[in-house]
Amino acid sequence: MKEYDDSDAHGGRRLALYILLLALAFKLAFILYSGDNVYYDVNLALSHGRTYFEAPEPGTPLVILPGVKTYLGPMAWYQLYSHLGVYGLKAFNLAAFVLLFALQYAIGRKYFPPRVTAAALFIFAFYTWTNLNVAAGEQDDMTAALFFTLGVVLYIYGRGAFLAALVMSAGVLFKYTAGIYALGFIIYLIYIRDMRQVLLALAGLTLPFLCLNILTGFSSMEALFKSSNLRRQFFNTSWERVVFKFFSTGMF
């Protein structure tokens, strides 16, 4: 494998920093332009969070709610909104973007030449849906992506499959569809024929959701399979559309 000297690494760090600063300036301008506008699902999550905290009886079961793809999100985002308003939610998205940028830089620094890493970071930083997610998007999307990417970084830097999968699975508590990516990690481990790591990763993936269900009397599991959103995800989308999304969104 080709070695890169210190000047290459220094130049790569500087280029990544320039991309980050430019992206932050653009996103801040976009946030100011969009004002109080957010995705419909953000308002939906806030509404569910308000329902949870303003319930007449304390101890309302912590479950996934119909039409929502998240467990912990509505409670967390409602609290954030209550204290800091809409711009608090957008500030969280901006901070999550910076952390995602740093994690992807860590992946690139380990495996790719500095200029290839910079190109990938530029595409990520200015991808249309990255901009929209920061300026008006769902905090659950950003959080799930952050946990999954952190899990990848932990694995490639030698922290083991259990810890990596455990962190990835924490993202599922904020957006259950993130489990698709976590299963991709399992498929990779099967591909490299490391069955010990497969078993450890499966344990790590199961633990957060299991703990949540123990705390909620398994009502979270029951609500997941009763969710109209889950049925729509699996049964109301054609395979042609699934394949298109698989490649067009970069999931592959």
Side-chain angles (χ1 to χ4, degrees):
M1 182 176 290
K2 181 179 177 181
E3 296 288 338
Y4 299 96
D5 58 31
D6 291 340
S7 62
D8 287 332
H10 179 72
R13 286 193 297 269
R14 185 170 55 190
L15 187 54
L17 180 60
Y18 290 158
I19 294 169
L20 177 60
L21 293 175
L22 183 62
L24 286 174
F26 180 83
K27 287 169 177 55
L28 283 170
F30 196 7
I31 287 172
L32 294 175
Y33 174 77
S34 62
D36 291 342
N37 292 318
V38 294
Y39 285 162
Y40 168 77
D41 284 352
V42 176
N43 286 319
L44 188 63
L46 293 176
S47 175
H48 284 310
R50 183 181 297 108
T51 300
Y52 176 79
F53 283 106
E54 296 179 359
E57 297 182 4
T60 301
L62 180 64
V63 300
I64 190 170
L65 297 162
V68 181
K69 293 175 283 189
T70 175
Y71 293 94
L72 303 181
M75 283 64 73
W77 314 135
Y78 177 71
Q79 286 295 306
L80 182 59
Y81 174 77
S82 297
H83 290 89
L84 298 175
V86 171
Y87 284 101
L89 297 174
K90 297 190 178 191
F92 175 88
N93 286 342
L94 197 64
F97 163 74
V98 173
L99 292 173
L100 276 166
F101 188 97
L103 290 171
Q104 296 202 45
Y105 173 77
I107 295 171
R109 183 179 62 179
K110 186 172 180 67
Y111 289 110
F112 301 104
R115 291 190 179 276
V116 173
T117 300
L121 290 172
F122 184 88
I123 293 170
F124 162 69
F126 290 98
Y127 177 55
T128 301
W129 289 107
T130 303
N131 293 322
L132 289 173
N133 265 341
V134 170
E138 301 169 66
Q139 291 70 44
D140 294 296
D141 287 21
M142 301 298 291
T143 306
L146 191 57
F147 275 115
F148 179 79
T149 310
L150 177 58
V152 171
V153 171
L154 288 171
Y155 179 74
I156 67 174
Y157 278 88
R159 299 301 181 182
F162 175 78
L163 181 59
L166 183 69
V167 172
M168 291 177 188
S169 187
V172 177
L173 300 184
F174 288 90
K175 188 167 186 178
Y176 69 75
T177 49
I180 296 170
Y181 297 94
L183 289 176
F185 178 57
I186 299 296
I187 292 171
Y188 165 75
L189 293 176
I190 293 172
Y191 172 75
I192 64 174
R193 300 180 181 181
D194 192 336
M195 295 311 297
R196 179 177 177 274
Q197 294 294 305
V198 169
L199 295 175
L200 288 171
L202 286 172
L205 289 177
T206 305
L207 192 57
F209 192 53
L210 177 61
C211 289
L212 177 65
N213 275 279
I214 290 173
L215 291 173
T216 61
F218 286 86
S219 57
S220 297
M221 178 71 77
E222 180 184 1
L224 173 63
F225 288 103
K226 288 183 177 179
S227 169
S228 60
N229 209 325
L230 181 65
R231 289 195 297 270
R232 184 171 70 250
Q233 294 287 336
F234 279 90
F235 301 112
N236 290 356
T237 303
S238 68
W239 281 109
E240 291 81 3
R241 183 70 174 168
V242 171
V243 171
F244 171 76
K245 283 285 190 177
F246 192 71
F247 287 96
S248 65
T249 61
M251 186 181 291
F252 180 75

